[in-house]
Amino acid sequence: MKRILAGFAATGLALSLAACGSEATDDADSKGGGTIAIITVDPSNPYWKAEVDTAKKAATDLGYKSYTAAHGNDPDEQNTLIETAVNDEVDGILLDPAGADESIAAVQKVVDADIPVVLINAEISETGLASSQIVSNNAQGATVGAEAWAASMNYKGTYVELFGNPSDNNAQVRSDGYEQVLSQYPDLKKVGEEIANWDRQEGQEKMEALLAKNPDINGVISGNDEMALGAVNALKAKGKLDQVTVLGFDGSQDAVEAVRSGELVATVVQPIVEGTNRAIEQLDSVIRTGETGVSDEKQALDCVLVTKDNVDTVENFVISE
């Protein structure tokens, strides 16, 4: 089996349908038709970059025009983008929501406009609005990642955590998954935590602050790869990387190469391409038939642990099993 987690190009922060018309694509022989708005978080992050262009390709293959926009985890910007899509009377919306609670009103606005909406990567705190909510099994991914990391630590030592964006429920789910595993090992002591908002530069800065307070830590667990790679940069600068075991999450190619080199002990690959392809297929089905074709609104896809034992099976976001 192969999961192709390829990165692609994305457009700017806020694009109207008219502005993006030149990027839209048609396929008269396909079964779909119309326009899909793809609203994501931050395409400069490799994970969301893969999400965006997987969606664009899948939409094109099904005969839709599409355009992309990014809200940067800002609910107000998300509302603006949703209003643009509604006003432009798009045929469907794929949304990576800006907060579990904060996005409910935006999704409701789409539903009130009688436009199908499918959520990808993150859930909202209400069911019965979106046609589908397709996410990675973050709890499962955090569990397998934490178990591998704890084993590499020999189940002892002090560590710190880099936490993602608090408005994204995935950040808390992963943190809780780590805690559920690591709390079983009394000789592993957590001595610090910082919010780094999924960002590499923030991860580096927050790691520097954590090191200033805890210079002798043995490990770092991170809510995503970008923050983990920021921590690696900070540890390198202090000459401490060979003394500290770092865990990532997402499976970006940079992280895979860091696992290969030993800078990360492991990362956890999210099946974002598989999930995004499912999301576009289900959105197409709703547009054409009024039904997704699946029984459950909320759908979770298991993650894959990548360590040095299987890193050679990963190349350019392709996992061969």
Side-chain angles (χ1 to χ4, degrees):
M1 180 180 67
K2 290 187 177 181
R3 291 197 182 96
I4 304 176
L5 304 180
F8 303 86
T11 59
L13 191 62
L15 299 175
S16 69
L17 177 59
C20 296
S22 62
E23 291 194 26
T25 52
D26 258 323
D27 182 351
D29 296 327
S30 64
K31 56 188 178 180
T35 299
I36 292 174
I38 301 163
I39 302 175
T40 189
V41 180
D42 176 13
S44 68
N45 181 300
Y47 177 78
W48 286 306
K49 193 170 187 291
E51 175 187 275
V52 167
D53 282 347
T54 299
K56 285 177 67 67
K57 183 179 185 302
T60 298
D61 289 347
L62 289 170
Y64 293 93
K65 300 175 183 179
S66 67
Y67 72 91
T68 66
H71 53 63
N73 260 324
D74 180 345
D76 291 335
E77 180 65 20
Q78 175 178 252
N79 288 339
T80 298
L81 298 175
I82 289 293
E83 288 172 2
T84 297
V86 169
N87 290 338
D88 285 330
E89 299 181 348
V90 298
D91 296 274
I93 296 174
L94 180 69
L95 174 66
D96 193 330
D101 297 325
E102 297 87 345
S103 299
I104 293 172
V107 174
Q108 182 69 63
K109 185 175 295 186
V110 177
V111 173
D112 290 345
D114 199 27
I115 297 173
V117 57
V118 169
L119 307 184
I120 184 65
N121 179 56
E123 301 169 286
I124 59 172
S125 303
E126 189 168 327
T127 57
L129 294 178
S131 297
S132 299
Q133 302 190 52
I134 302 174
V135 300
S136 300
N137 190 340
N138 285 278
Q140 170 264 343
T143 296
V144 298
E147 287 286 7
W149 178 86
S152 70
M153 292 279 289
N154 294 317
Y155 307 101
K156 62 184 178 181
T158 58
Y159 69 95
V160 296
E161 178 177 357
L162 291 173
F163 192 94
N165 190 307
S167 70
D168 186 336
N169 59 315
N170 290 337
Q172 192 62 58
V173 171
R174 292 174 200 171
S175 184
D176 289 346
Y178 292 154
E179 174 63 19
Q180 185 174 6
V181 171
L182 302 179
S183 64
Q184 302 175 59
Y185 307 115
D187 292 333
L188 280 171
K189 306 289 187 183
K190 182 176 174 180
V191 296
E193 176 181 316
E194 291 283 353
I195 294 170
N197 292 304
W198 308 129
D199 183 75
R200 190 180 301 199
Q201 185 59 39
E202 282 196 55
Q204 181 171 341
E205 292 167 359
K206 296 301 176 68
M207 190 68 235
E208 289 167 354
L210 287 164
L211 281 172
K213 296 176 183 177
N214 308 281
D216 297 323
I217 59 168
N218 311 109
V220 178
I221 57 171
S222 176
N224 82 337
D225 287 334
E226 289 298 288
M227 297 187 298
L229 293 169
V232 166
N233 289 341
L235 289 162
K236 280 182 176 179
K238 294 292 185 181
K240 292 180 176 289
L241 184 57
D242 61 347
Q243 305 162 35
V244 181
T245 302
V246 185
L247 172 69
F249 197 113
D250 274 350
S252 73
Q253 193 61 29
D254 283 351
V256 168
E257 296 306 322
V259 172
R260 189 189 309 278
S261 70
E263 293 179 345
L264 295 181
V265 70
T267 185
V268 178
V269 177
Q270 296 194 72
I272 186 56
V273 165
E274 178 183 351
T276 303
N277 279 323
R278 287 193 190 191
I280 292 294
E281 289 168 5
Q282 292 175 30
L283 184 57
D284 168 60
S285 181
V286 176
I287 291 169
R288 291 183 298 103
T289 72
E291 303 289 339
T292 62
V294 299
S295 58
D296 296 323
E297 174 185 333
K298 289 196 172 185
Q299 302 157 49
L301 307 178
D302 280 351
C303 302
V304 178
L305 178 72
V306 174
T307 68
K308 275 197 170 182
D309 291 339
N310 66 342
V311 71
D312 288 337
T313 68
V314 185
E315 183 67 27
N316 293 325
F317 295 96
V318 177
I319 299 179
S320 303
E321 297 180 11

